[in-house]
Amino acid sequence: MLDFLMRLDSPIELGLLYALMALGVYITFRILDFPDLTVDGSFTTGGAIAAVLITNDVNPWLATILAFAGGMLAGTCTGLLHTKGKINGLLSGIIMMIALYSINMRILGKPNISLSRLDNVFGSIDPIYIALIIVIVGKLLLDVFFRTDLGLALRATGDNKRMIRSFGANTDSTTILGLSISNGLVALSGALIAQQSSFADISSGIGMIVIGLASVIIGEACWVPVQSSGRHWLWCAVRLFTGSWSQPHMKSRGWKLPT
């Protein structure tokens, strides 16, 4: 039994870190109803920014915050392409994802960067505790934000744009804001994963959108009895962690999803 619990330590740790990415995907696909494919690029962007800054002796916490800001900038660009450039939402995400590949390579300077023997946010503390604190703090901050007038307008934008426009809300601004927050969380996850695994790679973001959607779907399927709670953020967080945890756990045991 003890051996089994010890084996769960690593999947739980990864599940917590990937939960931030899954939460970002949840915001765009479930709340904004926006098919954002920028995730594959912004995940790598977060890891690349954090890795480059840490190798240049920047404080790991500051590097992680700047990685979050870089992800928000990527999401903002996607939002501008869609709202101001009048480009289809799916296509704008694809354009930004492709553009980010070149940008990420430019940031890294080479295909991958090693972070072994360098300082990171985890330090000498067990990474699972740091990851748990970051996820809880992020969840609480989102709780506060989505209860504000701006947060409610963002949620309403995904439900009925025409209705929220009639109340004087600028749906273009709320869409851009939602995309920036979403990709900021994805980049934050990428930065933490890069530090946890001790390297940043140009291909680390490939398939992240699939993992994010799978996390959301698996999490919701595992918590069917609480579906009546709707969009209550406590249950959203629990469901997303369940889905995120299942991905590395299945991978560690050699299980694969059918394709």
Side-chain angles (χ1 to χ4, degrees):
M1 183 64 181
L2 181 61
D3 182 58
F4 174 73
L5 292 175
M6 290 179 66
R7 288 184 180 182
L8 285 180
D9 185 65
S10 180
I12 290 175
E13 177 188 324
L14 286 173
L16 287 168
L17 296 177
Y18 278 116
L20 292 169
M21 182 269 297
L23 189 56
V25 173
Y26 182 88
I27 290 173
T28 52
F29 277 84
R30 283 287 189 264
I31 295 180
L32 269 183
D33 194 25
F34 187 96
D36 183 27
L37 298 184
T38 314
V39 172
D40 282 14
S42 57
F43 184 89
T44 306
T45 301
I49 293 174
V52 169
L53 291 175
I54 290 173
T55 53
N56 284 280
D57 298 323
V58 175
N59 183 282
W61 286 105
L62 178 58
T64 304
I65 293 171
L66 291 175
F68 175 77
M72 291 191 72
L73 181 60
T76 300
C77 291
T78 302
L80 289 172
L81 285 172
H82 174 61
T83 58
K84 307 304 180 184
K86 305 302 179 184
I87 299 175
N88 176 271
L90 185 63
L91 184 58
S92 61
I94 293 173
I95 291 171
M96 199 60 207
M97 176 182 65
I98 295 172
L100 282 174
Y101 187 88
S102 299
I103 294 171
N104 293 335
M105 181 61 81
R106 181 70 175 177
I107 294 172
L108 286 169
K110 51 186 177 180
N112 53 67
I113 292 179
S114 174
L115 296 175
S116 59
R117 300 182 182 179
L118 294 175
D119 291 336
N120 56 57
V121 296
F122 302 111
S124 58
I125 304 174
D126 191 335
I128 196 169
Y129 298 122
I130 298 293
L132 182 61
I133 292 171
I134 292 174
V135 170
I136 291 175
V137 170
K139 184 264 177 189
L140 292 176
L141 289 175
L142 285 173
D143 271 350
V144 173
F145 170 72
F146 279 104
R147 284 182 171 85
T148 63
D149 290 343
L150 182 58
L152 291 170
L154 193 155
R155 293 166 64 182
T157 299
D159 287 330
N160 192 327
K161 282 189 177 182
R162 184 177 297 178
M163 181 273 293
I164 195 63
R165 258 193 229 111
S166 68
F167 287 102
N170 187 329
T171 54
D172 285 354
S173 298
T174 53
T175 300
I176 293 171
L177 178 62
L179 288 168
S180 64
I181 293 174
S182 169
N183 284 281
L185 289 170
V186 172
L188 176 60
S189 176
L192 293 172
I193 291 290
Q195 294 175 67
Q196 187 267 350
S197 57
S198 298
F199 75 96
D201 190 88
I202 189 65
S203 62
S204 61
I206 295 177
M208 280 301 116
I209 186 62
V210 177
I211 294 176
L213 287 172
S215 299
V216 173
I217 294 168
I218 292 173
E220 289 180 339
C222 290
W223 290 89
V224 173
V226 296
Q227 288 292 336
S228 59
S229 61
R231 294 186 179 183
H232 193 285
W233 277 95
L234 173 61
W235 292 117
C236 289
V238 172
R239 290 198 293 253
L240 290 173
F241 168 70
T242 303
S244 300
W245 169 81
S246 68
Q247 301 295 321
H249 180 59
M250 290 191 294
K251 184 177 180 181
S252 67
R253 301 195 59 155
W255 300 345
K256 295 182 179 180
L257 292 172
T259 56

